Amino acid sequence: MGNVAVIGSQWGDEGKGKIVDWLSSRADVVVRFQGGHNAGHTLVIDGVTYKLHLLPSGIVRDGALSIIGNGVVVDPWALMAEIEAIRKQGVEITPERLMVAENAPLILPVHGALDEAMEMTRGNKPIGTTKRGIGPAYEDKVARRALRVCDLEYPDVMRRKLERMMLHHNALLKGLGAPEVSVDEIYDQLMAVRDDILPFMAVTWQVMDQARQEGKKILFEGAQGMMLDVDHGTYPYVTSSNMAAAQAATGSGVGPDAINFVLGITKAYTTRVGSGPFPTELEDEVGQFLGEKGHEFGTTTGRKRRCGWFDAVAVRQAIKLGGITGIALTKIDVLDGLKEIKICVGYELDGQRLDYLPASQVKQADLTPVYETVEGWSESTCGARSWADLPAAAVKYVRHIEELIGAPVTLLSTSPERDDTILMQDPFMAGR
Ligand code: GDP
Ligand code: IMO
Ligand code: MG
């Protein structure tokens, strides 16, 4: 028996939240290890919808402990607002059920302002960020000027660090012609929120270590997806953290041996929100069909997601780079009713065939997908709860994807509802 890391294998929004919620009935601890409230995870439980951004998707279950790890950038106001919203839905959130790493960096109001100002400088080529301040907050972490959760205990330290930080940022904002942000303003806001946050602060690496010693099962929850990874994704059209499973260790304070199975959440087609290369994007009626049937609107920003065919090349690459053991294939039901389905099995660039996604943004922008066409199915797979309920063509599609990406389908999801999930292999039991 082992621990499981869940990561996205495409450009995010693969259905990680639903799968983490489903798997968390088998886990004792659920820990987020990167990203911030740029994430948007939708859970549907007996018809009731929960929208989560920073809170681990295990929070809705009684029993499992939720941890926001040190690799996450925490906006304290967004966290408190989310806790309130989820409490209103009847979920109990106490310091016994939710812990925030003392060494997690904070997102401050200035980071959102910088995120917007930097997007403005990109003119007609913006990244299309969520404007949540994620990039600037990670920049501050690496530049060693971030305020961290533990600093909230010491107002003097907070003010000193803020003054240094704002010297840097206000020079930048001024240069960009954006309004400056006052130290006093942020300081007062922090003083107002610290008493709400501090009760949740914990030495989470020790809590994780204790859990491991007691043989408890840990579920590591990733946000975003491998193609948005700052090292391995479609740079610079990426977010500012690593999604690869290796990050689950650093981002929560355990060694890499704590991860026994990596489940790559994978949509049966592809979506992307924001700008950047997307070789299999469909700007025709099929793209529209996928968007409408799949309700492809962002959970965080409400933006329309771009839709396209399944890209087996990109997912195969994500499997290698992310360390994925098996995948959970989601939203297969969205393909119901299509006569033909295409799968990208290679790219063409300057008359040459490529079997991988190259790193250069120039090359990425010029790729033409090479498709294989497979037969669709007219029957409904929506809500199927057993393999035997699936039409033969759908089974064939799943098997073919396994072959192309070189990894097994461990789980299959057939609707947004928690229990419309088919388990092929229990990842907690199958790990190395
Ligand atoms: P995440 O960011 O990876 O957690 O994914 P999101 O929650 O942003 O987006 C996935 C969307 O698809 C959500 O609205 C889910 O409720 C929904 N969803 C998840 N799995 C399935 C599925 O198998 N079928 C359908 N139709 N919808 C699904
Ligand atoms: P979940 O966890 C999809 C995208 C943004 C933008 C880029 C950078 O729900 O899968 P950022 O605000 O992070 O600096 O934006 O990354 N992005 C996501 N796309 N799902 C997400 O999270 C995303 N989080 C960020 O749209 O293109
Ligand atoms: Mg999402």
Side-chain angles (χ1 to χ4, degrees):
M1 215 146 58
N3 303 320
V4 177
V6 165
I7 66 172
S9 72
Q10 295 154 318
W11 277 281
D13 301 328
E14 299 91 347
K16 297 175 293 293
K18 167 182 164 162
I19 302 297
V20 169
D21 164 62
W22 191 82
L23 282 174
S24 64
S25 71
R26 293 156 198 256
D28 301 298
V29 180
V30 182
V31 56
R32 270 281 304 268
F33 57 84
Q34 48 70 232
H37 64 312
N38 50 347
H41 303 157
T42 302
L43 323 183
V44 185
I45 301 159
D46 295 329
V48 180
T49 299
Y50 301 83
K51 289 186 187 294
L52 303 173
H53 301 282
L54 256 177
L55 292 172
S57 300
I59 196 82
V60 183
R61 298 259 186 197
D62 290 339
L65 167 67
S66 290
I67 294 182
I68 297 178
N70 57 277
V72 175
V73 277
V74 179
D75 179 321
W77 302 276
L79 177 58
M80 289 321 300
E82 188 174 335
I83 289 175
E84 275 322 305
I86 296 299
R87 274 184 180 149
K88 279 206 183 105
Q89 289 194 280
V91 178
E92 197 193 351
I93 304 180
T94 60
E96 284 70 45
R97 293 208 58 219
L98 173 71
M99 295 180 183
V100 182
E102 57 173 5
N103 50 344
L106 298 178
I107 300 185
L108 305 177
V110 66
H111 294 124
L114 284 164
D115 200 347
E116 286 214 26
M118 288 311 292
E119 280 286 82
M120 293 289 282
T121 67
R122 298 183 183 113
N124 63 355
K125 284 207 180 329
I127 294 172
T129 73
T130 59
K131 301 199 175 134
R132 297 295 189 267
I134 305 295
Y138 275 120
E139 284 177 40
D140 273 357
K141 167 180 168 171
V142 184
R144 297 164 292 188
R145 40 169 190 258
L147 267 72
R148 308 198 296 177
V149 173
C150 53
D151 295 328
L152 292 170
E153 272 192 300
Y154 299 99
D156 291 354
V157 174
M158 244 164 52
R159 182 175 269 282
R160 209 168 352 119
K161 288 182 86 170
L162 262 181
E163 276 164 5
R164 276 198 62 74
M165 179 193 272
M166 294 316 296
L167 189 70
H168 178 92
H169 290 322
N170 276 333
L172 185 60
L173 286 168
K174 202 170 162 191
L176 293 172
E180 293 181 40
V181 181
S182 96
V183 168
D184 284 343
E185 201 180 309
I186 306 182
Y187 179 80
D188 290 346
Q189 286 176 287
L190 281 168
M191 289 303 283
V193 83
R194 66 194 277 270
D195 290 343
D196 295 332
I197 294 289
L198 281 172
F200 294 102
M201 180 176 86
V203 186
T204 52
W205 69 269
Q206 274 189 341
V207 176
M208 300 279 292
D209 185 52
Q210 185 73 27
R212 288 186 71 194
Q213 288 188 42
E214 290 168 7
K216 293 198 169 149
K217 283 192 281 183
I218 302 168
L219 185 53
F220 298 87
E221 177 182 15
Q224 289 87 47
M226 277 307 297
M227 290 297 129
L228 291 169
D229 183 286
V230 69
D231 283 276
H232 300 295
T234 48
Y235 192 91
Y237 299 95
V238 292
T239 187
S240 299
S241 63
N242 288 110
M243 276 99 254
Q247 174 62 22
T250 2
S252 62
V254 296
D257 61 324
I259 303 156
N260 308 97
F261 191 101
V262 180
L263 186 66
I265 313 303
T266 307
K267 211 177 266 194
Y269 49 100
T270 314
T271 61
R272 170 163 208 171
V273 56
S275 341
F278 180 0
T280 64
E281 182 170 16
L282 293 168
E283 282 168 293
D284 59 5
E285 64 283 359
V286 180
Q288 190 135 354
F289 170 89
L290 294 172
E292 278 167 21
K293 188 127 181 256
H295 303 291
E296 298 295 357
F297 293 92
T299 314
T300 299
T301 55
R303 288 178 291 174
K304 201 167 175 220
R305 296 175 184 151
R306 300 151 68 191
C307 297
W309 294 120
F310 186 78
D311 187 339
V313 183
V315 173
R316 184 170 62 218
Q317 192 155 327
I319 285 168
K320 299 279 185 205
L321 296 167
I324 291 169
T325 326
I327 67 161
L329 193 68
T330 61
K331 303 192 99 163
I332 184 130
D333 54 292
V334 175
L335 302 177
D336 293 352
L338 287 172
K339 265 208 177 75
E340 287 185 336
I341 299 171
K342 289 188 182 175
I343 305 174
C344 172
V345 294
Y347 306 122
E348 248 173 37
L349 181 71
D350 300 329
Q352 291 210 317
R353 177 86 178 243
L354 287 186
D355 65 353
Y356 71 100
L357 185 76
S360 152
Q361 69 183 99
V362 179
K363 290 183 181 165
Q364 285 176 0
D366 267 354
L367 299 173
T368 307
V370 177
Y371 286 118
E372 218 179 81
T373 304
V374 300
E375 86 182 282
W377 53 91
S378 54
E379 301 91 328
S380 167
T381 62
C382 186
R385 292 192 183 183
S386 90
W387 193 239
D389 292 339
L390 300 176
V395 172
K396 222 167 137 187
Y397 183 70
V398 175
R399 292 296 179 223
H400 194 44
I401 282 180
E402 287 181 320
E403 242 172 72
L404 291 170
I405 63 174
V409 171
T410 308
L411 267 165
L412 194 67
S413 167
T414 59
S415 102
E417 265 291 342
R418 177 189 265 176
D419 291 321
D420 291 339
T421 306
I422 303 172
L423 180 67
M424 251 73 89
Q425 190 188 28
D426 184 343
F428 283 108
M429 305 299 287
R432 49 180 176 254

